[in-house]
């Protein structure tokens, strides 16, 4: 528990440092998403699948720096990102046909990394870099990452202290209904914290939106966590990796963010931020 707390605190410190500077953000998240793709690659190897995943490595490494560079050069960063995503899709399909031609059962899995985690990675990058109001982008990014983390922490303690009724025993035997309720409260609590904290960098998301998004993150994030548990059960592993002692891998730590980021982005786009 001590190691988990120390690493969790370190993650928060690195995140806050990354949010302050856009170049640090691009570097930190490129590294994180490279590690996430590597975890998917190892997962496929564990199952004996021959998946052509090299384009996903390249995309994970370059899409944040390219988006930032093209935005600073006043180019159409969104169009460039979409073009890169299309190129990723095409090269993945072509490469899978060549590389995995003797392993037909591996074909469908080459598409998984394009959605999980790269699609959500793109939404997170767009929240941070792509909105008209940079301060709002910082708030949205912090909410997408910290609200699920807060939900996870409170769900853990709520489950340990009060957990009696199993939530989804076939997917995650240790999760309880009581823990899930505390998880929802954790997301709401982080929404309240960021409601006041956003004033430090000039963000202006209204209070009812912050609370609603925090609440949604507390709910939806748990589905992201359960989905990751389903993948791990399929692969027969406990964690995606051990790169974060006490937490598992990058995919273990950000499994809830993958589903919260699109929700937050949808709201911010609808409200024309």
């Amino acid at each position: 528990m001590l190691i988990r707390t120390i690493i969790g605190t370190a993650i928060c410190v690195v995140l806050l440092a990354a949010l302050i500077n856009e170049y640090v953000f691009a570097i930190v998240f490129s590294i994180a998403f490279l590690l996430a793709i590597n975890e998917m690659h190892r997962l496929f190897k564990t199952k004996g699948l021959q998946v052509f995943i090299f384009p996903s490595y390249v995309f994970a490494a370059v899409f944040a720096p390219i988006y930032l560079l093209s935005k600073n050069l006043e180019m159409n960063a969104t169009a460039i990102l979409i073009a890169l995503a299309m190129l990723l899709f095409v090269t993945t399909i072509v490469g899978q046909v060549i590389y995995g031609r003797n392993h037909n059962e591996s074909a469908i899995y080459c598409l998984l990394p394009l959605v999980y985690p790269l699609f959500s990675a793109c939404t997170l990058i767009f929240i941070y870099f792509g909105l008209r109001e940079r301060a709002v982008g910082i708030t949205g990014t912090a909410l997408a990452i910290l609200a699920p983390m807060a939900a996870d922490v409170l769900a853990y303690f709520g489950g340990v202290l009060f957990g009696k009724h199993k939530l989804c025993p076939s997917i995650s035997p240790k999760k309880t209904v009581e823990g899930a309720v505390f998880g929802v409260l954790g997301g709401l609590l982080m929404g309240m914290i960021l409601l006041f904290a956003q004033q430090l960098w000039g963000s202006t998301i209204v209070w009812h939106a912050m609370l609603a998004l925090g609440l949604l993150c507390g709910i939806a994030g748990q589905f992201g966590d359960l989905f990751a548990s389903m993948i791990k059960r399929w692969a027969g592993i406990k964690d995606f990796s051990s790169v974060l002692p006490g937490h598992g891998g990058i995919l273990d730590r950000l499994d809830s963010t993958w589903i919260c980021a699109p929700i937050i982005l949808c709201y911010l786009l609808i409200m024309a931020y």
Side-chain angles (χ1 to χ4, degrees):
M1 188 62 189
L2 177 61
I3 295 177
R4 182 181 176 91
T5 302
I6 293 173
I7 296 298
T9 303
I11 292 173
C12 290
V13 171
V14 171
L15 171 64
L16 291 174
L19 288 175
I20 293 172
N21 185 280
E22 58 185 12
Y23 293 99
V24 175
F25 181 89
I27 293 171
V28 168
F29 279 84
S30 292
I31 294 172
F33 294 133
L34 272 171
L35 292 172
I37 292 299
N38 181 252
E39 289 170 1
M40 291 298 297
H41 195 182
R42 292 174 58 186
L43 184 78
F44 294 143
K45 287 184 176 180
T46 299
K47 294 295 291 184
L49 298 170
Q50 193 164 323
V51 175
F52 186 68
I53 201 171
F54 176 72
S56 294
Y57 276 108
V58 176
F59 188 78
V62 305
F63 81 95
I66 287 179
Y67 193 96
L68 174 59
L69 180 61
S70 57
K71 183 174 179 291
N72 288 344
L73 293 176
E74 298 184 353
M75 301 168 66
N76 192 333
T78 301
I80 292 174
L81 182 61
I82 292 173
L84 283 174
M86 294 302 100
L87 182 62
L88 167 67
F89 176 76
V90 171
T91 54
T92 298
I93 295 297
V94 173
Q96 184 63 36
V97 171
I98 297 172
Y99 175 74
R101 59 187 178 276
N102 297 321
H103 296 265
N104 294 337
E105 68 278 7
S106 300
I108 191 66
Y109 294 100
C110 75
L111 301 177
L112 179 58
L114 309 189
V115 179
Y116 191 92
L118 288 180
F119 173 78
S120 288
C122 288
T123 63
L124 200 60
I125 289 298
F126 193 84
I127 291 172
Y128 186 79
F129 290 117
L131 301 177
R132 290 187 297 107
E133 298 184 27
R134 171 168 162 72
V136 171
I138 294 175
T139 302
T141 305
L143 189 62
I145 299 173
L146 293 179
M149 289 179 65
D152 182 58
V153 171
L154 261 71
Y156 173 80
F157 284 108
V160 170
L161 296 175
F162 305 104
K164 293 181 180 180
H165 303 90
K166 298 297 183 182
L167 181 66
C168 294
S170 61
I171 299 176
S172 185
K174 293 184 179 181
K175 294 189 183 301
T176 63
V177 174
E178 292 79 6
V181 172
F182 272 81
V184 173
L185 294 177
L188 182 62
L189 176 62
M190 183 53 65
M192 293 177 62
I193 292 173
L194 288 175
L195 170 64
F196 296 101
Q198 68 173 335
Q199 300 175 30
L200 297 174
W201 52 85
S203 179
T204 56
I205 300 179
V206 293
W207 69 268
H208 49 84
M210 288 295 293
L211 297 185
L213 289 173
L215 184 66
L216 283 173
C217 286
I219 297 171
Q222 297 189 60
F223 283 92
D225 186 42
L226 289 169
F227 180 73
S229 296
M230 292 174 71
I231 294 176
K232 288 184 286 186
R233 277 194 167 273
W234 166 76
I237 58 175
K238 182 179 182 297
D239 295 315
F240 284 104
S241 76
S242 57
V243 68
L244 300 173
H247 293 263
I250 297 297
L251 290 174
D252 293 290
R253 185 63 280 163
L254 296 179
D255 53 9
S256 298
T257 295
W258 304 144
I259 194 170
C260 292
I263 293 173
I264 293 171
L265 178 60
C266 285
Y267 171 79
L268 296 177
L269 289 177
I270 291 172
M271 299 307 295
Y273 283 107

